[in-house]
Amino acid sequence: MRKIRCIGILTSGGDAPGMNAAIRAVTRSGICNGFKIKGIYRGYDGLINDEIKTFTTEDVSNIIQTGGTILRTARSKAFTTAAGRKRAYEVLQKESIDALVVIGGNGSLTGAKIFAEEYDFPIIGLPGTIDNDLYGTDSTIGYDTTLNTITQCVDKIRDTATSHERIFFVEVMGRDAGFLAQNSAIASGAEVAIIPEDSRGSDQLITFMERGIRKSKKSCIVIVSESPKCGAMYYANRVNKEYPEFDVRVSILGHLQRGGTPSAADRILASQVGYGAIQALIQGQRNVMVGVRNNEIVYVPFVDAISKDKPMNLELIKVLDELSI
């Protein structure tokens, strides 16, 4: 096995608050342990195009409190091809990079797994996604900040909902995972969350309308996980047709959720897993994601992190149901 002297670091996929804290942690922990660190700009595309710079501790000064990623990010079509990955490997050899740290979500770590297997190359993944949908870690970088952002937005929307006696459908990110919707609904005092993990499906809306708004409330908030088929607009249109007596509005928070100063929790998580990435390489580990479970660093094989479904605490559905009466 080739001795690791130089480590490359990149951010890939959607940005998440706390990525800069992770970049800082990997850089400084790496330098502290005698490694050379190289920052790779614009994700896998930047790797293919050799957009690489040697990092010092000064390069990551005063970034822990900033959102986004100083390395920039991209979703790379080229890296999904064998030719693109071959070019990436050639660049790594040219730059004398012996290992990679990839910060990103499911797609980014899937790419890392494929590349690592093809070229027998050491890669450590860090869970950078606001969706909190990676298996094996209690939280992902950016999730806590995004949850707080959604809660703050819903607090403001409720002022209007109450003043005008309206039903607001608020759509949040999460793709196939309802962690943001369910927990922001509890935190903001919303009346219901419509999430993919709830087996009641579209009947959630009927149950809510019959039990809640029609009997005791003139205004309410419904948090909806984004979906191309059954997002906030779908449910709002249903209410307009089935319950025309109510005034309905939709607010899609969109990319507002991704930005902002990372919370203390995200800064700490990012620092922990960034440090853990360097420790993993020192220990000879490879092709694992660094996570935190029960406040302890854990190493999760890529195949588990990206393939296994992260379980939702279904008790939270009952919590929201009972507290929203």
Side-chain angles (χ1 to χ4, degrees):
M1 186 182 297
R2 182 176 174 179
K3 182 176 176 60
I4 296 174
R5 295 183 175 85
C6 178
I7 301 169
I9 179 172
L10 63 83
T11 50
S12 172
D15 62 305
M19 279 185 165
N20 283 332
I23 295 167
R24 172 182 179 270
V26 171
T27 300
R28 293 195 167 178
S29 182
I31 291 171
C32 185
N33 284 279
F35 296 105
K36 188 174 185 178
I37 303 296
K38 292 191 175 183
I40 301 166
Y41 289 83
R42 297 175 182 83
Y44 293 123
D45 270 353
L47 175 57
I48 291 169
N49 296 321
D50 200 3
E51 299 180 47
I52 298 173
K53 174 188 174 182
T54 299
F55 267 23
T56 66
T57 58
E58 288 77 12
D59 286 301
V60 294
S61 293
N62 202 32
I63 67 168
I64 194 172
Q65 76 279 16
T66 59
T69 162
I70 64 166
L71 287 175
R72 309 295 182 256
T73 185
R75 290 182 168 90
S76 175
K77 290 184 179 179
F79 196 74
T80 65
T81 68
R85 293 191 295 274
K86 182 175 182 292
R87 172 59 183 160
Y89 183 67
E90 291 169 351
V91 171
L92 289 171
Q93 289 182 308
K94 171 182 172 290
E95 293 285 343
S96 299
I97 295 174
D98 307 307
L100 273 180
V101 175
V102 174
I103 307 170
N106 192 287
S108 302
L109 299 190
T110 298
K113 174 182 177 293
I114 293 169
F115 184 83
E117 291 172 348
E118 281 183 343
Y119 291 96
D120 190 25
F121 197 83
I123 303 182
I124 304 298
L126 301 187
T129 169
I130 66 171
D131 298 338
N132 196 34
D133 60 348
L134 288 170
Y135 178 87
T137 183
D138 290 341
S139 188
T140 58
I141 298 167
Y143 170 68
D144 183 74
T145 305
T146 301
L147 190 59
N148 281 289
T149 298
I150 293 169
T151 302
Q152 292 163 9
C153 290
V154 174
D155 288 347
K156 292 175 172 61
I157 289 170
R158 187 176 287 281
D159 292 342
T160 293
T162 302
S163 297
H164 292 270
E165 298 184 329
R166 289 171 174 161
I167 300 175
F168 262 88
F169 287 87
V170 181
E171 185 173 295
V172 302
M173 289 182 171
R175 286 198 306 182
D176 300 320
F179 297 99
L180 282 173
Q182 187 66 43
N183 285 299
S184 65
I186 293 172
S188 63
E191 279 67 29
V192 71
I194 298 178
I195 61 173
E197 293 88 348
D198 193 336
S199 59
R200 292 175 294 183
S202 61
D203 289 341
Q204 293 176 74
L205 181 65
I206 296 174
T207 300
F208 154 68
M209 293 298 293
E210 294 295 338
R211 186 199 66 192
I213 188 71
R214 298 193 66 174
K215 293 182 179 178
S216 62
K217 297 183 179 181
K218 292 183 172 60
S219 70
C220 69
I221 304 289
V222 180
I223 310 291
V224 184
S225 278
E226 64 182 354
S227 167
K229 294 182 179 179
C230 300
M233 289 299 301
Y234 165 82
Y235 288 105
N237 289 335
R238 276 194 57 192
V239 173
N240 278 326
K241 291 177 182 178
E242 298 172 28
Y243 307 94
E245 66 270 27
F246 292 110
D247 189 7
V248 180
R249 293 291 187 276
V250 172
S251 182
I252 299 174
L253 298 186
H255 287 82
L256 170 70
Q257 299 161 83
R258 287 197 181 279
T261 300
S263 65
D266 273 329
R267 298 184 202 190
I268 293 167
L269 172 63
S271 298
Q272 279 183 288
V273 296
Y275 162 84
I278 300 301
Q279 293 302 307
L281 291 171
I282 290 172
Q283 295 164 15
Q285 298 202 57
R286 52 167 60 198
N287 311 336
V288 295
M289 182 193 76
V290 187
V292 172
R293 284 204 302 263
N294 299 321
N295 296 316
E296 292 187 359
I297 292 174
V298 294
Y299 300 106
V300 185
F302 279 155
V303 66
D304 290 342
I306 62 180
S307 299
K308 291 186 177 181
D309 290 332
K310 186 171 185 175
M312 162 76 72
N313 179 3
L314 298 181
E315 189 71 18
L316 294 175
I317 296 174
K318 184 176 180 181
V319 170
L320 181 60
D321 281 349
E322 293 196 0
L323 299 186
S324 63
I325 61 172

